[in-house]
Amino acid sequence: MTEATIDVVGIGNAIIDLLAHAEDSFLIEHKLNKGAMTLIDEPTAERLYAAMGSATRASGGSAGNTIAGLGSLGASCGYIGKLRDDELGAAYRHDLLASGVRFTTPMASDGPSTARCIIFVTSDAERTMNTYLGACVNLTPDDIDEALVGSAKVTYLEGYLYDEPHAKAAFHRAADIAHGAGRKVALTLSDAFCVLRHRADFLDLIRDRIDILFANEAELLALFETEDRDAALDRIAGMVELAAVTLSAEGSVVVRGGERVRSPAAHIERVVDTTGAGDLYAAGFLYGLTQGLPLAECARIAGLAAAEIISHFGARPEVPLREFAGLD
């Protein structure tokens, strides 16, 4: 078994984020499901983009945001995600390579255009995401770079990607490669609606191939079809080595066997935009874990990374997270 040469490789939906402020009345007018991630087709994406007015554009996608956060903390990372060789795809690839992320996934020369997520942020900081998946769902097992996955301490899988059979097969291949190399595999449940779509498959995936699970409380409760938080924590403790569950204003709890490590939410003056909070929590936690830090310190860094993200517009750090978390 060779020594790992990078900390984390993320596998997920490579998506360009288009963000704008909106009133609740706008969401009602366009029949948008506030606070949720809704899959849309390309014509709907074009219609919403035309209606949203001035927008901020940034490379995104859940796992992509986590990898960006890890890089800001000082971790070495790779990324696997499918892009089309169009304008948005070229911008996404440039952002990855410019930040030092290893990216080797071949870009598609035909088929659907690069994915985009149209995000409306209301005055209560809630984000309503409307996602055209485009090229990113065409990730297949052939796109999994065996050398890249085998070189990472942790392979991090984004639950949002689990919609297509070939994407599921890609997850399974990546997990098997990682375990074959003696590495760990992490999964984020991504969204309660995502859990409801794939509950049975997620349970099988977690039981058979996942070592580390990330979820918020709503996602965990949906996974086990219960309203009993403690019961859900007990059940996940019996399925994975480690689970990190965010509890909104209550902070988070980390579960390892019979151990429970609670961490308070980091203080923040004002919540501006909750987009990417879970993604950056995972970034902070995985940074600490891959550096061999205690679970309480992993959770502390994770909470600070999430706090930085929700203090401004967008899902990528505006300040170096390593400095923000007091790691220098």
Side-chain angles (χ1 to χ4, degrees):
M1 189 181 300
T2 59
E3 189 79 15
T5 56
I6 63 174
D7 295 311
V8 180
V9 59
I11 303 178
N13 286 328
I15 300 174
I16 291 285
D17 287 341
L18 301 165
L19 300 99
H21 289 292
E23 301 296 331
D24 285 332
S25 58
F26 180 93
L27 305 185
I28 294 168
E29 177 187 351
H30 291 273
K31 299 180 173 61
L32 303 181
N33 190 3
K34 183 174 179 177
M37 192 285 290
T38 302
L39 298 176
I40 59 174
D41 57 19
E42 190 164 14
T44 302
E46 295 293 344
R47 175 176 59 80
L48 289 176
Y49 183 55
M52 77 189 303
S54 179
T56 299
R57 189 174 85 175
S59 294
S62 176
N65 294 337
T66 298
I67 293 301
L70 276 156
S72 186
L73 285 161
S76 56
C77 298
Y79 183 76
I80 296 172
K82 200 69 175 178
L83 299 164
R84 174 70 192 271
D85 60 351
D86 51 21
E87 180 185 355
L88 292 180
Y92 196 103
R93 181 177 183 274
H94 174 269
D95 285 352
L96 286 171
L97 297 177
S99 61
V101 175
R102 299 186 194 181
F103 178 70
T104 60
T105 313
M107 298 173 73
S109 58
D110 55 17
S113 58
T114 293
R116 69 214 68 162
C117 184
I118 300 174
I119 304 172
F120 298 99
V121 184
T122 42
S123 58
D124 57 2
E126 191 65 76
R127 79 275 190 274
T128 299
M129 300 181 291
N130 305 272
T131 305
Y132 166 60
L133 292 171
C136 73
V137 297
N138 290 332
L139 187 79
T140 73
D142 291 338
D143 292 312
I144 302 301
D145 185 331
E146 185 171 352
L148 183 61
V149 171
S151 71
K153 295 176 184 176
V154 177
T155 293
Y156 177 76
L157 307 175
E158 174 191 323
Y160 280 135
L161 186 57
Y162 215 60
D163 276 308
E164 299 293 334
H166 44 261
K168 293 178 183 179
F171 266 25
H172 296 167
R173 180 164 189 259
D176 292 345
I177 291 168
H179 284 149
R183 317 300 187 205
K184 300 297 184 183
V185 179
L187 170 72
T188 173
L189 292 181
S190 294
D191 181 277
F193 291 96
C194 187
V195 174
L196 292 174
R197 285 200 305 276
H198 302 297
R199 181 178 175 273
D201 284 345
F202 271 164
L203 285 169
D204 288 341
L205 177 67
I206 292 165
R207 188 179 298 110
D208 297 339
R209 290 183 165 92
I210 301 303
D211 306 297
I212 304 159
L213 184 76
F214 291 94
N216 64 30
E217 183 175 11
E219 293 157 5
L220 189 69
L221 295 178
L223 182 67
F224 295 117
E225 296 183 317
T226 181
E227 294 299 318
D228 187 332
R229 178 199 293 176
D230 290 333
L233 292 172
D234 288 342
R235 288 191 65 181
I236 200 61
M239 294 177 67
V240 295
E241 291 181 19
L242 184 66
V245 181
T246 56
L247 306 172
S248 191
E250 292 182 52
S252 66
V253 58
V254 182
V255 177
R256 181 170 58 188
E259 183 181 7
R260 303 286 186 272
V261 178
R262 296 189 177 272
S263 181
H267 174 72
I268 186 172
E269 292 295 331
R270 186 168 70 99
V271 176
V272 175
D273 174 16
T274 58
T275 307
D279 304 335
L280 272 293
Y281 179 92
F285 194 91
L286 287 172
Y287 174 80
L289 197 66
T290 56
Q291 306 311 304
L293 300 179
L295 294 182
E297 178 65 1
C298 295
R300 184 193 72 85
I301 297 168
L304 285 169
E308 193 281 334
I309 284 300
I310 65 176
S311 69
H312 59 76
F313 207 40
R316 298 289 174 100
E318 287 191 345
V319 300
L321 289 181
R322 185 171 183 84
E323 177 183 329
F324 188 81
L327 298 173
D328 284 328

